[in-house]
Amino acid sequence: MEAPPSEPRPLEPLASPNRPTDSDAVSRLRAFLTGPALLLPAVLLLALLVRLPGLGFDIPTLSWTTNSFPLTHHADEPVNQRVVRTVLSSGDFNPRFFNYPSLFFYLHALLHVVAYGIARALGAVPAPAEGMSFTRAASTISESTLALLLSRGLSVAFGVGSVYLLYVAGKRLISPRAGLAAAFLLAVSPTFIRNTRFFSPDACTTFFVLLTLVCALDVLRRGSLRDHLLTGAAVGLAASTKYNAGLLLVLPLAAQLLREGAQGLKDRRLYLGFVMAAAAFVATSPFTVLDFPAFLEGFKKEVAHYTTGHLGAEGNSGVWYARYLWLAEGPVVLLGFVGLVWSYVRRSRELTLLSIFPLVYLPLISRMAYRNDRTVMLVLPFLFLFALVALQRLAGWGPSERLQRPARRIGAVALALLSITLPLLAIVDHIPALGMPAPRAQARQWFEDNVPTGQRIALEWHSAVPRRSAHYLVPLRTLSSYDLAWYRENRVSYFISSEEMTDRFYDDPERHADTIARYEALFGQLERVAVFPNPYRPWASGPFARLLGGDRDKVWPGYAYNGEQRIYRMPKAPTPTP
């Protein structure tokens, strides 16, 4: 007897190896939404957007002919503008200024030449006079406010480029996602934001520091002649923007030793890389050789500046840097040092290489008398990468590890959120306040509106600068330099004091007791007639900030070069017009 026929089974679709399943499509979408293809451009855009609003900071008017006001913004900007003008007008491109190397000035001089050519084509500036070279004609705009705006824009470009290079380094060292996270931390770093929107060499230097790191990783992995030459060139370019970046020479040396041990010292490729570093430095700062006596004098001045101190910003550098990093950057710095220690426990060649520069650089700058945020900024990218190493280890993440303890992952996520909270809140504070009038601009306008012309006005560093054609200005390092009798003898009527100058003494009363006493004696005999406070007074100095260890208003981007301005009047001086 035959068995009854079974129910026919439905036909199965033909499987196609090239046709993705639904789960594959979801995985690919998730990878796209969380991967570098989408998130990297978003991080770079964020880095750009948080810096662009600060480009016009304290620039009263935009013009190719109106000179910027000295000492009204970043204290180094007027000096840098004058050096660029010297480079273009000299005829021999000798900057005649060697406190910094020359590459930084040459890049901005080239920018000004291009800008002059465009402005000339548009008819915005006159044609060069007969017999005047094009570069000399371009020098006529180098101290204008529009040229200053362009130079700040170049700093922003180097800042965004640094964010990208940190992603590349993180991708090679840890993973693409870790690279994205490190790039995000640098993009929103308060220290990095405030120092990559001014006409200063710090953004440019950071860019070449990270370029050196990326190239040194290639030396560690491949060690070809090309890798050594590219790393040497990057070191030379970094040192040609700021002398302290010359310490990067330890990176190719360390990479060679980690790759081949002591035998690597016999490899001629290592020394050819050193030669390339020297060649790149001389090629981009040629007058360090061609005008060696002037270079030596400028270099000695800069060394003396850092070893003997800067008025009101000297002493206890190691403690100051530790406190600054905690207040400005928050817990991510602690995570960075934890990751640095872990790199030696794990004995990873790549992470050991990453640790070399911070371990050489931080002890050196901590021994210097002069301390500032720009100097310590160079180690921040390294600490951000190590912070990702610490988080990865805490969570149990790795290329071949599976998470076994959910509690560790929760802890890692909590630390990550805490690490980005302070930078994000700094941005929330920073951006809206940029639309507020700067205290210096308000103080200048107050003099225009209220004070009769022809007054003698004493002003200290970082103070507002009234119109020179209307008043006789007495610029001083500090108002505490002289007593009331001296000011009476020199017929000074008004005084402008800046929070950025006075507070550096009041913040360290033990070291500067005499200076504080002179300030108190002087201010006690003067009449305060106007105060223009810093608009950047958010929760940065509120209860939550104090819970984390202190007020942060003076280390966040909004405070930078924007301190409260206080105007005093000599007794019996002309009364301000209401």
Side-chain angles (χ1 to χ4, degrees):
M1 184 176 178
E2 294 184 2
S6 60
E7 293 289 335
R9 291 190 297 180
L11 295 175
E12 296 181 359
L14 294 176
S16 173
N18 298 321
R19 181 180 177 182
T21 65
D22 291 343
S23 60
D24 290 337
V26 171
S27 299
R28 292 181 182 181
L29 178 61
R30 183 188 307 158
F32 173 75
L33 293 176
T34 60
L38 180 64
L39 293 184
L40 179 59
V43 170
L44 296 177
L45 181 62
L46 174 65
L48 178 65
L49 292 179
V50 297
R51 287 160 176 79
L52 284 181
L55 286 186
F57 169 72
D58 211 13
I59 297 180
T61 57
L62 291 176
S63 169
W64 288 118
T65 57
T66 302
N67 286 353
S68 58
F69 291 85
L71 298 179
T72 60
H73 28 65
H74 188 299
D76 293 343
E77 285 185 321
V79 175
N80 295 336
Q81 285 184 284
R82 287 194 291 271
V83 175
V84 170
R85 179 164 188 162
T86 299
V87 166
L88 293 175
S89 64
S90 64
D92 60 5
F93 300 104
N94 185 347
R96 294 170 175 80
F97 177 87
F98 294 100
N99 292 54
Y100 296 143
S102 303
L103 176 59
F104 163 70
F105 298 116
Y106 288 155
L107 290 173
H108 286 271
L110 177 61
L111 176 67
H112 292 185
V113 168
V114 173
Y116 176 81
I118 295 174
R120 176 71 196 94
L122 297 175
V125 295
E130 185 176 353
M132 179 183 288
S133 67
F134 192 82
T135 55
R136 181 165 296 196
S139 71
T140 60
I141 70 165
S142 289
E143 291 187 86
S144 69
T145 52
L146 270 171
L148 174 61
L149 192 68
L150 290 174
S151 289
R152 289 179 175 181
L154 185 58
S155 293
V156 169
F158 275 116
V160 176
S162 299
V163 172
Y164 174 75
L165 287 177
L166 186 58
Y167 160 74
V168 174
K171 177 183 176 181
R172 295 185 182 183
L173 281 166
I174 311 172
S175 68
R177 289 185 180 180
L180 280 171
F184 174 79
L185 289 172
L186 188 62
V188 301
S189 161
T191 303
F192 200 59
I193 290 174
R194 71 183 275 173
N195 287 295
T196 53
R197 59 184 177 89
F198 288 118
F199 179 15
S200 67
D202 306 291
C204 184
T205 304
T206 306
F207 177 86
F208 286 115
V209 165
L210 288 171
L211 181 62
T212 302
L213 174 62
V214 170
C215 293
L217 289 172
D218 290 335
V219 171
L220 178 62
R221 294 181 176 180
R222 294 193 303 257
S224 67
L225 176 61
R226 178 177 178 272
D227 296 329
H228 279 282
L229 293 178
L230 288 176
T231 305
V235 171
L237 294 175
S240 194
T241 57
K242 289 190 82 170
Y243 297 118
N244 53 338
L247 288 173
L248 288 168
L249 207 59
V250 300
L251 285 183
L253 175 60
Q256 183 73 356
L257 290 174
L258 288 169
R259 177 181 172 80
E260 300 183 12
Q263 291 297 318
L265 296 177
K266 300 178 182 180
D267 193 333
R268 66 182 182 89
R269 292 173 295 187
L270 174 65
Y271 302 101
L272 289 175
F274 291 168
V275 171
M276 176 59 80
F281 177 83
V282 173
T284 52
S285 294
F287 287 93
T288 57
V289 175
L290 299 177
D291 194 1
F292 185 75
F295 156 69
L296 193 60
E297 180 182 357
F299 183 77
K300 286 181 177 178
K301 285 182 179 179
E302 195 64 13
V303 171
H305 186 200
Y306 272 84
T307 54
T308 61
H310 183 86
L311 185 63
E314 74 280 355
N316 299 325
S317 295
V319 175
W320 188 91
Y321 282 130
R323 183 175 183 273
Y324 171 82
L325 289 173
W326 169 250
L327 290 177
E329 304 294 334
V332 69
V333 173
L334 290 180
L335 282 174
F337 283 108
V338 170
L340 192 153
V341 173
W342 173 250
S343 70
Y344 283 89
V345 175
R346 190 175 179 181
R347 297 183 180 181
S348 162
R349 292 191 312 165
E350 288 81 2
L351 295 180
T352 300
L353 177 63
L354 181 65
S355 70
I356 295 299
F357 181 69
L359 291 177
V360 172
Y361 187 73
L362 279 173
L364 178 65
I365 64 174
S366 296
R367 294 177 61 86
M368 299 290 183
Y370 179 33
R371 66 287 196 284
N372 57 67
D373 60 332
R374 305 187 303 275
T375 301
V376 77
M377 184 177 75
L378 293 185
V379 301
L380 283 180
F382 296 83
L383 292 178
F384 291 156
L385 288 172
F386 278 121
L388 270 298
V389 171
L391 286 173
Q392 181 191 72
R393 181 59 186 172
L394 175 63
W397 291 330
S400 59
E401 299 177 10
R402 297 185 63 182
L403 185 63
Q404 301 295 331
R405 300 178 183 177
R408 293 173 63 187
R409 186 170 188 176
I410 293 172
V413 171
L415 281 175
L417 291 175
L418 183 60
S419 298
I420 66 174
T421 296
L422 287 177
L424 289 178
L425 286 171
I427 291 175
V428 171
D429 158 53
H430 167 61
I431 298 299
L434 286 172
M436 303 179 186
R440 271 183 283 255
Q442 291 178 295
R444 280 196 302 266
Q445 190 60 47
W446 185 89
F447 272 94
E448 289 286 327
D449 298 338
N450 297 282
V451 177
T453 59
Q455 303 300 310
R456 285 178 174 261
I457 304 171
L459 58 150
E460 60 187 358
W461 284 358
H462 305 294
S463 297
V465 180
R467 186 159 50 92
R468 292 181 181 275
S469 60
H471 304 284
Y472 181 81
L473 304 184
V474 184
L476 302 168
R477 298 182 76 182
T478 73
L479 292 179
S480 64
S481 301
Y482 300 99
D483 59 14
L484 188 67
W486 185 90
Y487 288 113
R488 286 189 184 277
E489 182 180 344
N490 287 273
R491 296 175 294 151
V492 173
S493 303
Y494 284 86
F495 304 76
I496 309 177
S497 173
S498 171
E499 178 186 28
E500 292 168 55
M501 198 65 205
T502 58
D503 279 18
R504 63 178 60 182
F505 303 111
Y506 281 85
D507 288 343
D508 192 358
E510 292 185 6
R511 181 180 298 273
H512 301 293
D514 291 343
T515 302
I516 294 173
R518 290 195 298 270
Y519 267 124
E520 294 291 337
L522 177 64
F523 292 154
Q525 301 174 79
L526 300 176
E527 177 188 357
R528 183 186 288 190
V529 292
V531 177
F532 300 97
N534 183 348
Y536 303 87
R537 297 292 188 188
W539 74 268
S541 53
F544 182 63
R546 288 193 291 272
L547 180 65
L548 291 175
D551 291 353
R552 285 172 164 73
D553 57 316
K554 294 181 183 178
V555 296
W556 279 15
Y559 179 80
Y561 312 104
N562 205 30
E564 180 175 279
Q565 301 292 298
R566 305 149 184 161
I567 301 175
Y568 297 85
R569 185 172 69 94
M570 181 76 78
K572 299 183 180 180
T575 304
T577 304

